[in-house]
Amino acid sequence: MNDQQEIPLWEVFIRPRNGLAHRHCGSLHAADATMALQAARDVYTRRGEGQSIWVVPSMQITASDPTQKGENFEAQEDKIYRHPTFYEVPDEVGHM
Amino acid sequence: MYSQGLIGAKTDSDEPPEFLATFQARIDADEKIEPNDPMPAGYRKTLVRQIGQHAHSEVIGMLPEGNWITRAPTLRRKTALLAKVQDEGGHGLYLYSAAETLGVSRRQMTEELLSGRAKYSSIFNYPTPTWADIGAIGWLVDGAAIMNQIPLCRCSYGPYARAMIRVCKEESFHQRQGFEIMMTLCKGTQAQKDMAQDAFNRWWWPSLMMFGPHDSDSTNSDQSMLWKIKRFTNDELRQKFVDATVPQAEYLGLTIPDKDLKWNPDKNDGRGGYGFGALDWDEFWSVVKGNGQMNRDRIRVKKAGWDNGEWVREAALAHAKKRKARAAVQHAAE
Amino acid sequence: MDASLHFDCLVRLADDHMILGHRLSEWCGHAPMLEEDLALPNIALDLLGQARILYDHAGKIEGKGRNEDQLAYLRLERDYRNLLLCERPIGDFGHTVLRQFYFASFMGLYWSECQNSNDQILREVAAKAIKECAYHIRHTGEWVIRLGDGTDESHQRMQNAVADLAPYVGEMFHMDETSQQGASAGLIPDVSKLAATWHAQVAPVLAEATLETIEVKPILGGRSGQHGEEMGFLLTDLQFMQRTFPNMTW
């Protein structure tokens, strides 16, 4: 396995029809935004489910901390999940 | 079931009893667990293996059927088969996506598959030498998969459940397509009927083996059931499958290759069901351990595809890097 | 319009799409990443879908009772009339995307002209196919750019693909007697008139991909049934079931 880095992960949001909001439907891997959008169309709208597609690099999304629910909700900001590639390790440090 | 009933949730963990109890209470209340929720290490680990194995199975499953796309006998069958195999790739993708929410990367999972460390459903280690095998796989293998997938739509882990809902929506045409192929063959010429019976003879027992070892031989099934990662036992699903499939085989006019198959009115709490013969567990374990006819070939083919594609993936990343750099230069110049 | 001429023109188009769809389907399960195992079959399904409509239509025009499968599966090699470009082996991923980009760019223009055809079914196919082509062009064009302007290795492989496919570009724009008559009859476009636009669309993509173009003398033959050696093997796979088990329903 010689790919120096992994191909980045993107979250996909689709609005099936006008009038509805975009809904999260999953993720995929693509090297850049253009290819991510195309892949989203191929993967998540093969049966014509899509009107509008949003793709976002997964690590760009900020999530609230689910343990902070309830009255004392203090937004502790976190990643949407703990993916190995979300925490960048400098190249010099090597494979981790 | 694509995990072949082999993955049992590990019960030993470091978490304090109160933590485990709180978690269990959520499960019992039918709450969904989402990616950043606190969860026992055993729950996370079991799911990573189970979802991973399910994803690998979909991806490897593209090969035995993909084998017949270029030789499909009509344009209609060709396009339907291509669409089905494409769907399976898509299912693999949804499942990898679900697994990645648990802290493993697609690349790690790919490495594990190609190195032989990760397992996939052993059903795909059988060859598809005839066109009738495509019918048999759609009918039996997809049929068995559906039995497991529908309950998993209610599994406790949100991303897995949602992936399964997506999969189940798309799955409906797969089994119908397979059964329709079998029907066409069974209503056809003698050569076609013989082809169908031969395929059925070869796929029947392996399909029963898809449900995994007997409950009495399944380790750690209980914790998986408690955590609602597994909804029915191996034997329950296997019985359901046999009861549903035997009448279909009879409708097709096929002979079931089991001399011990017999209706038993006492099964299923008196509702009746089919008793069937003993599975060849030696064969089961042999294939699971890597000695099936196609095990090595499947991995060899996937590894070749992966290796042959390395330059493509590297180029895509290199180009993305170049674009970023050019954009940065342009931005700085403005 | 002469039924035989009408048939010939439709079958050429159908063969292009069926043969290329068949080639593309060979990638299923072997693509460089799972996302492409979905993308390439999408393109193949579009092509095969178009082929089916065209074969069905051609069979009705011919009036001898041949259906889509009899046309697709039971002719002799000499009677297949697809472009040589379409039957070329898939090669590596670079070859595949470049070939697809060339063909899709051509068909985008072709279908556009077909909106003026006096054949209603061809107009209907064209209306749908134009949208599908637009996506094929975008998808494969983006790959051509990334692979041409990626790593040294990918650049070299793409340059090889340009060289390997160069002899097969010209046939797309070649007019023979059948296509002259078809164009005069208002059925199909004069493809020689599409060449300049095609080059104008393709050149910037190749330039952005940092690829050098090559002009070579075109190899012809597909339209008259004179195929390369790989066609025999392709038909061996394609026709296997129908030839081994004749006259059966599948």
Side-chain angles (χ1 to χ4, degrees), chain A residues 28-29 32 35 38 41-42, chain C residues 35 39 42 135 139 143 146:
Chain A
L28 50 83
H29 288 268
D32 59 58
M35 299 314 271
Q38 291 194 4
R41 177 208 180 264
D42 286 315
Chain C
E35 284 78 1
N42 263 351
Y135 177 73
H139 187 82
W143 269 117
R146 278 153 185 73

Side-chain angles (χ1 to χ4, degrees), chain A residues 14-86:
Chain A
I14 306 231
R15 174 170 60 210
R17 301 193 290 287
N18 278 344
L20 301 176
H22 282 75
R23 272 187 67 187
H24 179 242
C25 50
S27 66
L28 50 83
H29 288 268
D32 59 58
T34 306
M35 299 314 271
L37 262 178
Q38 291 194 4
R41 177 208 180 264
D42 286 315
V43 173
Y44 290 106
T45 74
R46 281 175 297 123
R47 281 171 170 72
E49 301 105 78
Q51 266 269 23
S52 166
I53 304 175
W54 290 349
V55 291
V56 186
S58 309
M59 74 164 119
Q60 298 287 345
I61 301 179
T62 307
S64 59
D65 181 351
T67 60
Q68 297 295 332
K69 291 196 270 257
E71 305 95 334
N72 294 330
F73 185 91
E74 272 170 34
Q76 290 241 33
E77 295 169 359
D78 202 352
K79 304 283 188 201
I80 48 174
Y81 42 88
R82 286 178 266 157
H83 192 270
T85 63
F86 289 4

Side-chain angles (χ1 to χ4, degrees), chain B residues 62-90:
Chain B
M62 294 170 75
L63 297 179
E65 289 176 290
N67 190 29
W68 276 91
I69 294 172
T70 55
R71 291 175 296 166
T74 67
L75 293 180
R76 180 168 166 258
R77 292 295 180 209
K78 192 185 189 81
T79 49
L81 184 57
L82 181 55
K84 178 177 196 271
V85 175
Q86 182 197 38
D87 270 356
E88 274 146 29

